[in-house]
Amino acid sequence: MNKESYMQREQRALQKLINFRLPRTFMTIGLLLAVVAVVFMFFRTTLFGEDSEIIKSSLQKVLLVGMLLMSISRDREEDEMTIQLRMQSYAWAFITGVIYALVMPYVEFGVSSVLNADNETFTNLGDFQVLVFMLLVQLMCYHTLKRYR
């Protein structure tokens, strides 16, 4: 096995991963999953009672899967420009997600220390909060960039 063929195979595999898109119907499925998860999150305590941590965790995962399906599904018109806009929106989501994960704990600490002077707590963000934020930023940036192209 020579070095050139190995690099070409790796490059083809990476390009295949970059160009991976689900069919357009997954946008509808993802949107339906996300809406159902959000609706059930609002009415979780009335439907399932106070001890519904498993339900909360499950609904969070359903929301993430729905948003991910929306993020990687094809558009009606998939061309080089939409692929470039999608990659740009992923870059924006990553950058803002990192900034959000670094800054938000200090903002929460400051607000908590102002509101509760005697009980100050410093907490890190959970994975769900960061992932939902990044997916929201990606979806909003992509659709905004696509609208103004």
Side-chain angles (χ1 to χ4, degrees):
M1 175 183 320
N2 62 15
K3 184 178 175 182
E4 189 69 26
S5 65
Y6 177 75
M7 288 175 53
Q8 288 173 346
R9 275 185 291 159
E10 288 296 317
Q11 188 174 13
R12 277 195 307 267
L14 182 62
Q15 197 64 31
K16 194 176 193 180
L17 180 67
I18 289 172
N19 292 330
F20 175 75
R21 298 283 174 267
L22 292 173
R24 174 85 178 136
T25 56
F26 281 93
M27 174 66 87
T28 308
I29 294 169
L31 184 61
L32 183 67
L33 283 174
V35 167
V36 166
V38 168
V39 167
F40 275 115
M41 281 180 186
F42 279 118
F43 299 113
R44 176 177 51 98
T45 56
T46 58
L47 294 174
F48 303 109
E50 291 296 322
D51 299 327
S52 58
E53 284 301 314
I54 295 172
I55 302 295
K56 177 183 174 186
S57 173
S58 299
L59 289 173
Q60 287 176 344
K61 288 179 182 26
V62 168
L63 177 64
L64 285 174
V65 168
M67 291 175 70
L68 181 65
L69 289 176
M70 290 168 50
S71 177
I72 61 176
S73 65
R74 289 189 184 275
D75 280 342
R76 286 186 206 109
E77 306 166 355
E78 193 78 23
D79 58 359
E80 292 85 14
M81 182 66 157
T82 57
I83 292 171
Q84 180 68 28
L85 294 176
R86 190 181 306 267
M87 291 301 128
Q88 190 175 4
S89 69
Y90 282 126
W92 275 106
F94 178 76
I95 291 167
T96 57
V98 169
I99 292 170
Y100 178 77
L102 291 174
V103 171
M104 198 60 192
Y106 296 107
V107 171
E108 287 182 4
F109 178 72
V111 170
S112 116
S113 66
V114 167
L115 295 178
N116 301 330
D118 44 324
N119 189 10
E120 300 170 0
T121 58
F122 184 79
T123 59
N124 285 324
L125 298 177
D127 55 349
F128 171 74
Q129 192 173 357
V130 174
L131 289 174
V132 164
F133 179 77
M134 288 175 68
L135 283 168
L136 278 173
V137 168
Q138 190 276 324
L139 289 169
M140 288 189 309
C141 282
Y142 176 65
H143 289 288
T144 303
L145 289 170
K146 196 170 65 167
R147 184 180 313 143
Y148 295 119
R149 64 179 164 147

